[in-house]
Amino acid sequence: MGFARLSGITSGVMVEFWSLKNGLNLASQLRISSICVELNAELIVLLLTNYSINNLMLEPLLDNCKTLLKKFRRSTVQHIFKVANQCANALVKFGATLSSDYVNFVNSPPVVEDLLALDKAEHFL
Protein backbone atom coordinates (compact mmCIF):
# COMPACT_ATOMS: atom_id res chain seq x y z
CA MET A 1 0.00 0.00 0.00
CA GLY A 2 1.24 3.48 -0.68
CA PHE A 3 0.22 7.05 -1.40
CA ALA A 4 1.08 10.28 -3.14
CA ARG A 5 -0.04 13.77 -2.23
CA LEU A 6 -0.15 17.13 -3.93
CA SER A 7 2.36 19.28 -2.04
CA GLY A 8 2.04 22.61 -3.77
CA ILE A 9 4.81 25.17 -3.35
CA THR A 10 6.61 24.48 -0.09
CA SER A 11 9.99 23.47 1.33
CA GLY A 12 11.49 20.01 1.11
CA VAL A 13 11.27 19.69 4.90
CA MET A 14 7.53 20.37 4.84
CA VAL A 15 7.01 17.87 2.01
CA GLU A 16 8.89 15.24 4.02
CA PHE A 17 6.93 16.07 7.21
CA TRP A 18 3.56 15.77 5.45
CA SER A 19 4.69 12.54 3.78
CA LEU A 20 5.73 11.20 7.18
CA LYS A 21 2.38 12.14 8.71
CA ASN A 22 0.43 10.55 5.86
CA GLY A 23 2.59 7.42 5.94
CA LEU A 24 2.18 7.02 9.70
CA ASN A 25 -1.59 7.49 9.40
CA LEU A 26 -1.74 4.87 6.64
CA ALA A 27 0.39 2.39 8.61
CA SER A 28 -1.81 2.93 11.66
CA GLN A 29 -5.00 2.36 9.61
CA LEU A 30 -3.46 -0.86 8.29
CA ARG A 31 -2.88 -1.92 11.91
CA ILE A 32 0.86 -2.26 11.46
CA SER A 33 2.38 -2.78 14.91
CA SER A 34 6.08 -2.14 14.25
CA ILE A 35 7.52 0.46 11.92
CA CYS A 36 10.94 1.62 10.77
CA VAL A 37 10.82 5.15 9.39
CA GLU A 38 13.63 6.10 7.02
CA LEU A 39 13.92 9.78 6.14
CA ASN A 40 16.44 11.61 4.03
CA ALA A 41 15.68 14.88 5.86
CA GLU A 42 18.18 14.82 8.72
CA LEU A 43 16.46 17.79 10.37
CA ILE A 44 13.24 15.81 10.82
CA VAL A 45 15.11 12.81 12.23
CA LEU A 46 16.81 15.15 14.70
CA LEU A 47 13.53 16.82 15.66
CA LEU A 48 11.78 13.46 16.14
CA THR A 49 14.56 11.89 18.20
CA ASN A 50 15.81 14.88 20.23
CA TYR A 51 13.05 16.23 22.46
CA SER A 52 15.07 19.25 23.62
CA ILE A 53 14.89 20.92 20.20
CA ASN A 54 12.01 23.32 19.61
CA ASN A 55 10.91 24.74 16.28
CA LEU A 56 7.68 26.74 16.53
CA MET A 57 7.02 26.69 12.78
CA LEU A 58 7.22 22.89 12.58
CA GLU A 59 5.85 22.12 16.04
CA PRO A 60 2.24 21.23 15.09
CA LEU A 61 3.36 18.65 12.49
CA LEU A 62 6.20 17.48 14.72
CA ASP A 63 3.87 16.90 17.68
CA ASN A 64 1.37 15.11 15.45
CA CYS A 65 4.07 12.79 14.06
CA LYS A 66 5.40 12.05 17.56
CA THR A 67 1.88 11.18 18.69
CA LEU A 68 1.37 8.93 15.67
CA LEU A 69 4.69 7.15 16.32
CA LYS A 70 3.48 6.30 19.84
CA LYS A 71 0.62 4.27 18.33
CA PHE A 72 3.09 1.61 17.22
CA ARG A 73 4.32 -1.09 19.58
CA ARG A 74 7.82 -0.56 18.21
CA SER A 75 9.12 2.27 16.07
CA THR A 76 12.49 3.50 14.90
CA VAL A 77 13.37 6.65 13.02
CA GLN A 78 16.61 6.86 11.10
CA HIS A 79 18.32 8.96 8.48
CA ILE A 80 19.09 7.50 5.08
CA PHE A 81 20.64 9.15 2.07
CA LYS A 82 18.44 10.35 -0.78
CA VAL A 83 19.81 7.68 -3.12
CA ALA A 84 18.36 5.01 -0.80
CA ASN A 85 14.94 6.70 -0.79
CA GLN A 86 14.27 6.78 -4.54
CA CYS A 87 10.74 5.33 -4.39
CA ALA A 88 9.60 7.99 -1.95
CA ASN A 89 11.23 10.70 -4.04
CA ALA A 90 9.54 9.39 -7.21
CA LEU A 91 6.16 9.46 -5.43
CA VAL A 92 6.79 13.06 -4.29
CA LYS A 93 7.45 14.06 -7.91
CA PHE A 94 4.37 12.10 -9.00
CA GLY A 95 2.32 13.86 -6.32
CA ALA A 96 3.20 17.21 -7.88
CA THR A 97 1.27 16.13 -11.00
CA LEU A 98 -1.92 15.05 -9.21
CA SER A 99 -5.24 16.76 -9.75
CA SER A 100 -6.46 15.70 -6.28
CA ASP A 101 -4.82 16.33 -2.90
CA TYR A 102 -4.13 12.72 -1.92
CA VAL A 103 -4.23 9.29 -3.58
CA ASN A 104 -3.83 5.83 -1.99
CA PHE A 105 -2.37 2.98 -4.02
CA VAL A 106 -3.13 -0.69 -3.51
CA ASN A 107 -0.78 -1.58 -6.37
CA SER A 108 2.43 0.24 -7.19
CA PRO A 109 2.02 3.05 -9.70
CA PRO A 110 4.16 2.75 -12.83
CA VAL A 111 6.51 5.54 -11.64
CA VAL A 112 7.95 3.25 -8.94
CA GLU A 113 7.67 -0.26 -10.42
CA ASP A 114 11.24 -0.34 -11.74
CA LEU A 115 12.62 1.20 -8.53
CA LEU A 116 10.82 -1.38 -6.39
CA ALA A 117 12.11 -4.21 -8.59
CA LEU A 118 15.65 -2.85 -8.20
CA ASP A 119 15.25 -2.57 -4.41
CA LYS A 120 13.97 -6.14 -4.25
CA ALA A 121 16.86 -7.42 -6.40
CA GLU A 122 19.43 -5.58 -4.25
CA HIS A 123 18.05 -7.14 -1.05
CA PHE A 124 18.72 -10.61 -2.42
CA LEU A 125 22.33 -9.93 -3.45
Side-chain angles (χ1 to χ4, degrees):
M1 190 100 194
F3 68 92
R5 66 171 293 122
L6 181 63
S7 301
I9 299 172
T10 188
S11 70
V13 170
M14 291 303 288
V15 169
E16 189 114 3
F17 248 128
W18 277 103
S19 296
L20 171 62
K21 179 183 175 189
N22 292 138
L24 292 172
N25 274 325
L26 181 58
S28 177
Q29 291 169 6
L30 294 171
R31 301 185 195 277
I32 293 171
S33 61
S34 299
I35 192 165
C36 175
V37 177
E38 297 178 330
L39 302 165
N40 59 288
E42 263 184 297
L43 173 63
I44 295 176
V45 174
L46 186 61
L47 289 170
L48 287 169
T49 59
N50 186 342
Y51 295 102
S52 64
I53 294 175
N54 292 321
N55 184 311
L56 295 177
M57 187 176 82
L58 299 175
E59 198 164 345
L61 269 175
L62 175 63
D63 288 345
N64 192 258
C65 289
K66 285 179 179 179
T67 300
L68 286 167
L69 280 167
K70 290 177 185 174
K71 288 184 172 187
F72 300 93
R73 189 169 34 93
R74 286 183 308 199
S75 65
T76 59
V77 177
Q78 61 191 32
H79 174 259
I80 60 170
F81 292 102
K82 191 174 184 174
V83 70
N85 212 5
Q86 290 184 28
C87 288
N89 292 323
L91 287 172
V92 167
K93 289 177 186 175
F94 179 68
T97 69
L98 293 176
S99 57
S100 59
D101 289 340
Y102 181 88
V103 176
N104 270 336
F105 303 112
V106 174
N107 298 310
S108 306
V111 296
V112 294
E113 284 179 349
D114 291 342
L115 294 169
L116 288 171
L118 183 62
D119 277 354
K120 186 176 181 179
E122 288 177 354
H123 278 69
F124 289 108
L125 293 178

